Amino acid sequence: FSGSFGMVSDISARKQAESQLLAQRAFFEGILERVQDGIWVTDARQRIIYVNAGMLRIAGLAREQILGLQVLRDFPEETLHDFRPFYECALNTRQPMAYEVRVVTPSGRESWQAGWLIPVPDQDAGAGMICTVRDITEVRAAQMELERYRLGLEETVAARTAELRATESHLRLILDSSASGLFGIDTEGRLSFV
């Protein structure tokens, strides 16, 4: 046999679909990168496969320092101590879970963080976890300051109430032990008590 054989396929529809998919991906990644809250995603082995700019700012690390880390193994205990029970619960129940915890960030900064742990359904490729993170350190500090003021106010009210009761008791004792009659006259000359 001599000659050649050729086959031609029109792949323009496939190329157009790939182009649309890439544009869609770039659009959604652009949105996630602009979100101020941190977002990270793990695969089925709980390795971080995506992290947005908000998370990099909160963690104080570069993307390369976070990607590939195993969530429950590769972070210091002071970072995981309060977070681990929430993560494991969301992982085991496969139900979204809100959390609020005190952590030490990978860069060593103490902070309060809150967010959601959202398990990716098992049927999805790379089933793992989506985690949102909001640094609420300033909010918690303000709450603690308000609580200190509230407690101080309660103590002040209790002390002042005790002083007023003591004064009232002292004055009642004077009135009750008086041998003579007492009376009071108001500013208009009317009798106010006898």
Side-chain angles (χ1 to χ4, degrees):
F1 172 75
S2 77
S4 63
F5 177 74
M7 189 168 150
V8 176
S9 293
D10 184 0
I11 61 169
S12 55
R14 187 179 79 196
K15 286 293 188 183
Q16 184 179 12
E18 286 175 1
S19 177
Q20 288 174 340
L21 187 60
L22 287 172
Q24 210 174 30
R25 180 181 177 147
F27 172 76
F28 288 115
E29 283 182 355
I31 291 172
L32 291 173
E33 286 302 306
R34 288 176 184 86
V35 172
Q36 295 302 301
D37 287 350
I39 300 171
W40 50 265
V41 180
T42 66
D43 63 12
R45 293 182 6 213
Q46 305 316 309
R47 286 176 310 164
I48 297 174
I49 58 172
Y50 173 80
V51 60
N52 76 339
M55 190 66 233
L56 299 176
R57 180 182 43 76
I58 291 168
L61 296 175
R63 195 175 308 271
E64 307 78 49
Q65 293 174 287
I66 296 177
L67 290 177
L69 294 179
Q70 207 278 347
V71 174
L72 297 178
R73 187 189 67 215
D74 295 335
F75 289 97
E77 182 57 31
E78 60 267 14
T79 300
L80 292 173
H81 183 266
D82 293 340
F83 181 73
R84 180 182 284 112
F86 290 101
Y87 192 89
E88 288 175 341
C89 184
L91 195 61
N92 293 332
T93 64
R94 306 302 296 163
Q95 296 296 312
M97 173 171 280
Y99 70 91
E100 184 173 307
V101 294
R102 186 190 65 77
V103 300
V104 176
T105 66
S107 65
R109 182 178 62 86
E110 285 192 35
S111 72
W112 279 90
Q113 296 177 359
W116 281 90
L117 293 161
I118 306 159
V120 177
D122 289 332
Q123 66 270 20
D124 291 349
M129 187 81 69
I130 300 167
C131 180
T132 65
V133 181
R134 176 171 287 171
D135 188 329
I136 60 167
T137 305
E138 291 178 7
V139 171
R140 284 298 295 228
Q143 288 172 338
M144 289 169 45
E145 188 66 21
L146 282 173
E147 181 64 12
R148 278 194 292 277
Y149 281 127
R150 185 187 67 76
L151 291 173
L153 183 59
E154 285 180 3
E155 289 173 5
T156 301
V157 168
R160 186 65 182 130
T161 300
E163 289 173 11
L164 291 172
R165 284 188 179 138
T167 301
E168 178 188 19
S169 176
H170 180 71
L171 292 174
R172 182 149 317 278
L173 182 64
I174 291 171
L175 287 173
D176 290 346
S177 65
S178 175
S180 317
L182 295 173
F183 62 90
I185 299 177
D186 65 17
T187 57
E188 296 177 3
R190 292 179 294 198
L191 195 62
S192 62
F193 70 88
V194 177

